[in-house]
Amino acid sequence: MPLDTPPNASPLVAGLNPEQAAAVTLPAEHALILAGAGSGKTRVLTTRIAWLLQTGQVGPGGVLAVTFTNKAAKEMVTRLSALLPVNVRGMWIGTFHGLCNRLLRAHHQLAGLPATFQILDTQDQLSAIKRLCKQFNVDDERFPPKQLQYFISGCKEDGMRARDVPARDEDTRKKVELYALYEEQCQREGVVDFGELMLRSYELLRDQDAIRAHYQRRFRHILIDEFQDTNKLQYAWIKLFSPPPMEGLDVQGNAVFAVGDDDQSIYAFRGARVGNMADFVREYRVPQKNQIKLEQNYRSVSNILDAANHLIGHNQRRLGKNLRTEAGAGELVRINESVSDFAEAQWIVDEIKALVREEVPRSEIAILYRSNAQSRVVETALFNAGLPYRVYGGLRFFERAEVKHALAYLRLIENPRDDTSFLRVLNFPPRGIGARSVEQLQDVARAAGCSLHDAVSAVTGRAGTAIAGFVAKVDVMRERSEGSNLKDIVELVLEHSGLVEHFRQEREGQERVENLEELVNAAESFVMQEGFGREAVALTQSPASQGLDLNAPVLDQPLAPDADTGETLSPLAAFLSHAALESGDNQAQAGQDAVQLMTVHAAKGLEFDCVFIGGLEEGLFPHENAMSDRDGLEEERRLMYVAITRARKRLYLSHSQTRLLHGQTRYNLKSRFFDELPEHCLKWLTPPQASGWGGMGSAGWGGHRAMGAPVPQPAWSPAWKATSAPPPEPDRGTPIKSGMAVFHNKFGEGKVLAVEGAGDDARAQVSFPRHGTKWLALSVAKLTPIE
DNA sequence: GTCTGCAAACTTTTT
DNA sequence: GTTTGCAGAC
């Protein structure tokens, strides 16, 4: 297609609204697309790539498209191939970490890594740190391994090596020292953690001028999804592919097309910097016309959208954006108050039953919650009601212990120096190598400064024989896997390691055996997908100026050989990367039509006809750990915004007066977010002003509460009996007033800062020296005035 | 070397 | 309440 064709003439742009079309057809300049929830963000991103290709502005090899999750990357590839018959294999579309892996594999020597380097997932990283701490006798009270892991990952996310970390106090100095030692250990063992993938490839591009120049020449268009979730290092990484214009110079480099939504930034807690969006506009001098807002929402009815807009309007730090829809008002947002979390769960189940009777597919119903701990009550209620459900989150396939054991053997075949894997399976299945023997081996390795594998021959005696036997076993596997296909290698390992045999004998081992068998399937389908074993066809590409020949056959090319180096990755090595970078599906109680349960974080990017958001209580949502500062609270509000905008047609919000948490009954006020929703969109199923303890004896396990009949001695559900404290009684004798000193059973002495509401709804803001400032319902919390 | 029992933690999470 | 990790007993 000639370049002078008017952009809108392209059939690609046909179904888009004006803003979307404008974004898709922007010239090759830096751009920031502010894409609201449900505004067709992925569509714009993929159509943009297709448009660039079709108009001949760039060839498939000149596109770099980055996402955060494998799911998003896959989706992009799928949609793109639906738009154009293009060889997506030759394109660099993937997650940050996936692309970093690709870079480091291609240039492993310059990056200072062995060709067979292995990737540590979060679990592996923690066990590597624990091992290190043990070796150096680190006091794990003072330096918990988890905290060190957090520290190290945090440093890497900020682009800092150990020598770059400013260490003011003794504690930090020690941590930095351990960071350096950890790095040494990883280097020696030929392993990299997730943060290292990013940092190492960043340094590679930064320090190797030739490589940087090569990729800068190659990638004319760089597209980034979910830009609001990028951390400091990821943004710096992007800058290496397209340096921002320099002062006084007005050279437009490779075009960076960033898509994001500051209102959906919910990952600050793990290092995401929303500020990158503003920095990007400034540093890349993104002109106003290239800052496009997508505000047309194609998902929700306007009552739901109004609620979302109104809520997020309470955030101060925003770029500013308002969603609109043509879908009509739709139903009101329903709000329910329950007396206990059990009652809440039961209410949800009752509503779902009604929805199912109205023929809403169960898979179109989602129950969202702030924290995983909330799922159990709901699960129990769903289970008792016989409603099929599916929980997202939890252990994923490649994270399961038995699968990790099998992977450890596979990794040792590739890289015998991988001590983490070595230790994982040295005595698993049990072969009589105890802690003493392991220590002996570790001592030798430490003294010699070599890997455990290389230290084996130096260990003598019975321990030495047993360990040598293990190494011999792995060596046999390595020899026999030479030239075999991946599936056979996996089967060989499962058999020869004795893993299958071991779990077969275990009482509860059936599922584990099945998972191991599933690993064989995973290997087989991986080979199919990646095209290993098939004839590799060289990519023929029509000159960019002529655009793509739409009739050309879609050519296939294995992922492995890298276009830049021609190096080939073995199927096993590629599979191991895949296993580490893509931990597989969450336990899918697969297939059938089931109600969807997940945290709000996990729901990002998904949508459902009907959505329940439970546990909307102060301390829970917003979560108490995030309530202290404004940034934390604003993130909670964005989280709520994400939750609301998941719903297409019907939204239920619910809160409970009490909740069993950590084995204790907690009394919660309803979330402040209720007060931030516009009244005209809401339908209170229970009167909003009602609270207190009336009638809950009969309602504790479900059913709606009889209103207005206070019961003098609240009978309580079994949950009550579990707690030692007596049922709180509203103290109507002494009124709590602002300025008063009070005593609370749990928080001790405090000072009342403010009192709000009246009667059963009255609540007081109390400042406790040890527990901070809290809002307490006077009908619930027992506050005794003190002189 | 393996099993049992108790203590401690516990927001959110992708790679 | 549940899971996970470590210590002590067998």
Side-chain angles (χ1 to χ4, degrees), chain A residues 545-584:
Chain A
S545 59
Q546 288 168 25
L548 282 176
D549 179 1
L550 297 188
N551 297 316
V554 179
L555 296 176
D556 213 3
Q557 179 189 262
L559 169 135
D562 189 271
D564 296 290
T565 61
E567 271 193 67
T568 311
L569 204 56
S570 76
L572 176 55
F575 181 63
L576 290 172
S577 286
H578 165 82
L581 291 172
E582 201 167 335
S583 0

Side-chain angles (χ1 to χ4, degrees), chain A residues 96-97 100 152-161 179 193-203 206 229-241 271-273 276:
Chain A
F96 275 105
H97 294 86
C100 287
I152 291 171
S153 303
C155 290
K156 290 189 180 183
E157 274 160 19
D158 280 344
M160 288 188 291
R161 289 293 175 193
Y179 175 18
D193 58 42
F194 287 134
E196 188 68 21
L197 278 174
M198 278 300 325
L199 184 52
R200 190 70 73 109
S201 57
Y202 167 78
E203 290 169 343
R206 185 194 59 190
D229 288 338
T230 50
N231 62 34
K232 199 176 165 189
L233 178 59
Q234 284 157 343
Y235 182 41
W237 189 88
I238 296 282
K239 286 191 199 172
L240 290 177
F241 287 97
R273 287 187 68 240
N276 283 350

Side-chain angles (χ1 to χ4, degrees), chain A residues 4 17 62 114 153 189 214 284 303 362 389 392 407 412 457 459 521 543 554 588 618 677 688 715 771 777:
Chain A
D4 55 359
N17 69 35
S153 303
E189 297 175 9
H214 169 79
Y284 282 81
N303 276 330
R362 284 189 290 264
Y389 62 91
Y392 283 74
L407 290 173
L412 287 176
S457 55
V459 179
N521 293 336
V554 179
E618 287 290 291
L677 300 175
H771 298 90

Side-chain angles (χ1 to χ4, degrees), chain A residues 96 149 178 210 303 393 446 520 605 675:
Chain A
F96 275 105
Q149 183 180 26
L178 288 163
N303 276 330
R446 197 172 312 150
V520 179
D675 305 329

Side-chain angles (χ1 to χ4, degrees), chain A residues 17 19 34-37 39 293-298 305 320-325:
Chain A
N17 69 35
E19 294 80 30
L34 213 51
S39 64
K293 288 182 188 176
L294 305 179
E295 297 176 295
Q296 177 76 36
N297 173 287
Y298 294 97
L305 231 44
K321 187 166 51 33
N322 221 30
L323 294 176
R324 51 171 198 275
T325 178

Side-chain angles (χ1 to χ4, degrees), chain A residues 112-125:
Chain A
L113 288 170
T116 56
F117 73 85
Q118 301 295 315
I119 300 166
L120 299 184
D121 68 13
T122 316
Q123 286 177 39
D124 300 331
Q125 187 190 22

Side-chain angles (χ1 to χ4, degrees), chain A residues 30 130 141 184 199 303 315 337 339 346 353 363 389 403 427 451 495 498 513 647 705:
Chain A
H30 306 310
K130 280 183 181 162
E141 294 273 288
E184 261 173 51
L199 184 52
N303 276 330
N315 271 4
E337 173 178 21
V339 102
Q346 192 54 52
K353 280 187 189 157
S363 57
Y389 62 91
V403 176
N427 193 35
S451 70
E495 274 313 308
V513 174
R705 188 161 47 97

